[in-house]
Amino acid sequence: MASLRALVGCKRVIDYAVKIRVKPDNMGVVTEGIKHSMNPFDEIALEEAVRMKEKKIVSEIVAVSCGPPECQETLRTALAMGADRAIHVEIKGEEYQGLQPLAVSKMLAKLIQNEKVDIAFFGKQAIDDDSNQTGQMVASLLDWPQATFASKIETEGSDTLKVMREIDGGLEHIKVKLPAVVTADLRLNEPRYATLPNIMKAKKKPFSKMSSEELGVDIKPRLQVKSVVDPPVREAGSTVENVDELITKLKDVGVV
Amino acid sequence: MATLIGKTFSQATRSFLKASNWSRLASSLVIAEHNGSDVVPLTYNSIGAAKQLGGDVTVLVAGKDCSNVSKQLAQAEGVSKLLVAQNDIFDGFLAETLTPLILETQKQFNFTHILAGAGAFGKNLIPRLAAKLDVAPISDIIGINGEREFVRTIYAGNAIQTVTSSDPVSLITVRGTAFPPSGPTGGSANIEDAPSVAVSYDLSKFEGQELSISERPELTAAKAVISGGRGMKNGENFELLYNLADKLGAAVGASRAAVDAGYVPNDMQVGQTGKIVAPELYIAVGISGAIQHLAGMKDSKVIVAINKDPDAPIFQVADFGLVEDLFKAVPELTEKL
């Protein structure tokens, strides 16, 4: 099984710890000068690919990111974490503003075919648009099986993955035949940190750049953003002194 | 078309169409979620959302065993047609086997909207279907402004985005807490067989489930929710929350920190990537209130925070905050209620 080729989708997003601000024109959120990092779920997806490589199940890991030139930093991180090479599909300016999961999925599906990938890893969702669509759509476009919200992945024989999935009421077990798409849930693993020597080594790893035109994908947005606004603000609450006062207040508003 | 509308629809419908400037009447397909014996409550919220679109609501129930669920759904308020696809191949409700069935159904009926609840089932299925239809799906909607205009949250609920779709059919997952459920009775839908498809699929296989057994109400549907965080210190201490929950008829949830520490199973997680709840009463116990947790509960009607750290961010969203050691406050609260 040591010949599986893996692809990992790595999205550059506003860092999860940043408190975002809505733009004054209500058309988006402020991204200039804001700390960005790799989508946390993509780090988990990448970590899983790297662990499979360490177990000699996977032979090569290709990290891919679609977006502005800054995505190169995200891909360098991926290389430092253990990806073998990176592909940056550069999409700038207005086109990037309108880039949506369907277009990204089409580009990824094309790359997967071009690169003869056997297993594609994605995060279950990006923490910016919160869509939770890309992995499923890539699987659909390729007619591959999908194992979404994976919290445990094992191999069975040379062509099957046993996947434990996180579902609403608990856990679910499925088997998928390769080639397949897997999307990582939080509890799949604990991603490693890139060490300084690996960050240095990552600078020498192969890095290629391409465009959506080269992939032959139309990336025009299908959804038009009409507005982006702040959520309603909750009215300030009060502090109660003790449990008795809490109970009185809860009774006053009629919830107990 | 105009004359057809003029002849067929009532004055009220016409003025409604004019007022909202919607091009045509919606016809929606709701994909039912069930477990073989009962309808998952989220399905009724999806039917509720479909009703807001106007037009006929058709529900598709597929599975290995649909008999009982079909009976339940045929009575659901507002459902005009129930399509049933009973086949062993749908065991486990795999997206790979359901997709060809729904594509065939769509080919036959040409719905303007296809909806499912934004749970693990709908999130797994709808994007796969959307890519086959070459449309951009719209995830986890919280509002419907028009036939092709939807409201959803982004950035862990820290911004609200309104989008319009230019696709001929909208594929949507529905946030249950944002739409009132359609009544489980009062309707009488026509039951028909769903279009038959020759599905033989062996690339993926359902192997079984390990469900958390709980006597308490289901987290996303409960009127009251009590959640514990890292401050609970261990899994045994959650007993304190269960005792209080039983007193209030509440469900018990948890923060990611409590789940990651192994105190409780992951399906109890409330937050951006766990369950989204909006009960009448949410009690956060030993939870600091990270952005990702707030995303899952800040639409609750009344929020109570019990935390010994007066600077915990949770107090900024709490209606009533109690700065006290939870190991003292929670038992006292349970006793006095």
Side-chain angles (χ1 to χ4, degrees):
Chain A
M1 207 168 190
S3 58
L4 292 185
R5 293 163 60 84
L7 178 141
V8 185
C10 303
K11 187 176 185 182
R12 174 181 179 265
V13 298
I14 292 184
D15 190 85
Y16 74 93
V18 171
K19 176 94 179 79
I20 60 117
R21 278 181 300 130
V22 168
K23 278 187 196 165
D25 69 355
N26 283 4
M27 288 310 288
V29 305
V30 177
T31 56
E32 295 78 24
I34 303 282
K35 186 187 176 196
H36 283 66
S37 351
M38 194 192 303
N39 179 39
F41 290 98
D42 299 350
E43 287 186 353
I44 298 170
L46 176 60
E47 174 67 29
E48 197 64 18
V50 174
R51 288 185 192 190
M52 283 174 90
K53 193 182 172 194
E54 286 167 348
K55 287 184 202 151
K56 313 246 182 276
I57 299 164
V58 161
S59 60
E60 191 190 28
I61 302 169
V62 185
V64 180
S65 193
C66 306
E70 292 86 350
C71 287
Q72 290 184 18
E73 293 159 28
T74 311
L75 287 169
R76 291 287 172 205
T77 308
L79 292 170
M81 283 174 70
D84 296 293
R85 60 192 177 89
I87 301 174
H88 177 209
V89 183
E90 192 170 272
I91 295 161
K92 288 194 231 175
E94 212 148 281
E95 284 197 317
Y96 175 62
Q97 296 305 318
L99 190 64
Q100 285 158 7
L102 181 62
V104 172
S105 304
K106 287 178 181 176
M107 291 189 278
L108 291 167
K110 240 349 180 332
L111 276 170
I112 285 168
Q113 283 173 325
N114 292 352
E115 300 288 331
K116 301 193 171 23
V117 167
D118 305 289
I119 176 166
F121 291 94
F122 302 109
K124 80 161 174 180
Q125 77 191 60
I127 59 164
D128 52 1
D129 64 23
D130 281 335
S131 290
N132 195 330
Q133 299 170 346
T134 301
Q136 295 88 314
M137 291 201 285
V138 171
S140 183
L141 293 166
L142 293 165
D143 262 319
W144 286 6
Q146 64 192 45
T148 51
F149 326 140
S151 56
K152 195 170 159 194
I153 303 169
E154 293 169 301
T155 50
E156 187 180 83
S158 61
D159 68 341
T160 304
L161 298 178
K162 283 171 70 177
V163 180
M164 184 163 89
R165 305 179 56 224
E166 297 200 359
I167 57 164
D168 293 340
L171 298 165
E172 177 174 288
H173 301 273
I174 61 165
K175 282 184 186 174
V176 291
K177 281 218 174 104
L178 294 171
V181 169
V182 178
T183 75
D185 214 319
L186 275 176
R187 276 160 287 276
L188 182 58
N189 60 48
E190 191 73 46
R192 71 194 63 191
Y193 290 101
T195 60
L196 189 59
N198 285 343
I199 293 169
M200 299 310 288
K201 273 186 228 160
K203 292 184 175 159
K204 298 202 177 81
K205 288 185 177 178
F207 200 110
S208 52
K209 202 165 96 173
M210 58 199 319
S211 65
S212 60
E213 289 84 16
E214 282 172 77
L215 290 168
V217 173
D218 173 13
I219 60 169
K220 264 207 309 285
R222 301 291 189 82
L223 302 174
Q224 286 68 44
V225 175
K226 216 178 153 192
S227 69
V228 174
V229 298
D230 282 311
V233 188
R234 288 190 76 94
E235 277 181 44
S238 60
T239 311
V240 295
E241 287 303 313
N242 51 46
V243 168
D244 291 318
E245 194 189 335
L246 177 61
I247 293 172
T248 313
K249 297 256 182 172
L250 290 176
K251 283 187 174 152
D252 285 350
V253 294
V255 290
V256 295
Chain B
M1 190 65 199
T3 50
L4 184 67
I5 289 173
K7 279 176 189 164
T8 321
F9 299 125
S10 70
Q11 195 67 41
T13 313
R14 264 186 293 152
S15 54
F16 171 69
L17 278 172
K18 205 176 161 192
S20 57
N21 200 23
W22 294 5
S23 53
R24 55 176 172 155
L25 268 191
S27 65
S28 308
L29 178 70
V30 174
I31 316 298
E33 182 179 357
H34 66 98
N35 59 16
S37 57
D38 287 297
V39 179
V40 170
L42 186 52
T43 303
Y44 292 105
N45 301 92
S46 303
I47 297 171
K51 276 163 61 187
Q52 284 191 17
L53 289 160
D56 284 345
V57 178
T58 301
V59 173
L60 174 69
V61 49
K64 192 180 169 185
D65 183 358
C66 302
S67 50
N68 202 37
V69 176
S70 306
K71 265 182 229 151
Q72 292 173 17
L73 282 168
Q75 296 170 30
E77 184 204 334
V79 178
S80 55
K81 190 173 2 186
L82 185 68
L83 298 170
V84 182
Q86 181 164 311
N87 193 317
D88 286 353
I89 192 136
F90 302 128
D91 187 24
F93 312 105
L94 296 169
E96 292 88 332
T97 59
L98 291 172
T99 298
L101 168 71
I102 302 166
L103 287 174
E104 191 57 37
T105 308
Q106 172 63 7
K107 215 165 119 190
Q108 191 165 328
F109 296 95
N110 212 4
F111 296 103
T112 58
H113 298 78
I114 302 177
L115 308 87
F121 168 80
K123 288 175 178 174
N124 187 48
L125 173 65
I126 291 291
R128 188 172 182 105
L129 197 57
K132 286 276 178 238
L133 292 166
D134 193 30
V135 306
I138 305 156
S139 296
D140 216 353
I141 62 161
I142 60 167
I144 295 171
N145 287 353
E147 200 175 321
R148 296 284 177 233
E149 187 171 313
F150 308 96
V151 185
R152 56 186 303 270
T153 65
I154 52 175
Y155 291 95
N158 286 298
I160 295 176
Q161 183 190 52
T162 302
V163 292
T164 53
S165 168
S166 50
D167 288 318
V169 46
S170 298
L171 274 82
I172 299 164
T173 58
V174 174
R175 182 175 300 179
T177 55
F179 293 90
S182 174
T185 57
S188 57
N190 290 324
I191 304 181
E192 290 177 24
D193 284 337
S196 64
V197 268
V199 188
S200 66
Y201 195 85
D202 60 357
L203 297 182
S204 50
K205 194 167 174 280
F206 171 69
E207 296 270 293
Q209 293 179 335
E210 295 165 44
L211 299 182
S212 317
I213 308 296
S214 174
E215 301 282 301
R216 292 180 191 86
E218 203 259 318
L219 195 52
T220 55
K223 290 251 185 289
V225 173
I226 301 164
S227 286
R230 201 194 300 274
M232 297 305 295
K233 292 202 170 75
N234 60 47
E236 287 77 54
N237 289 336
F238 265 73
E239 204 56 43
L240 296 173
L241 304 190
Y242 293 131
N243 293 339
L244 178 56
D246 289 343
K247 205 79 176 253
L248 291 167
V252 177
S255 69
R256 178 185 166 186
V259 175
D260 283 353
Y263 303 168
V264 291
N266 60 274
D267 56 306
M268 284 170 63
Q269 183 182 324
V270 171
Q272 182 185 20
T273 66
K275 303 243 165 71
I276 292 174
V277 302
E280 298 281 309
L281 173 64
Y282 189 89
I283 307 181
V285 181
I287 291 176
S288 64
I291 295 171
Q292 293 77 16
H293 184 74
L294 301 184
M297 45 65 80
K298 67 180 178 189
D299 290 329
S300 305
K301 200 166 156 233
V302 175
I303 298 174
V304 173
I306 301 174
N307 203 307
K308 65 181 174 192
D309 173 12
D311 298 324
I314 191 77
F315 288 118
Q316 289 164 22
V317 299
D319 298 284
F320 306 118
L322 176 60
V323 181
E324 195 169 281
D325 183 2
L326 70 94
F327 294 103
K328 182 176 164 289
V330 174
E332 190 185 339
L333 188 57
T334 309
E335 194 194 299
K336 289 181 173 167
L337 273 171

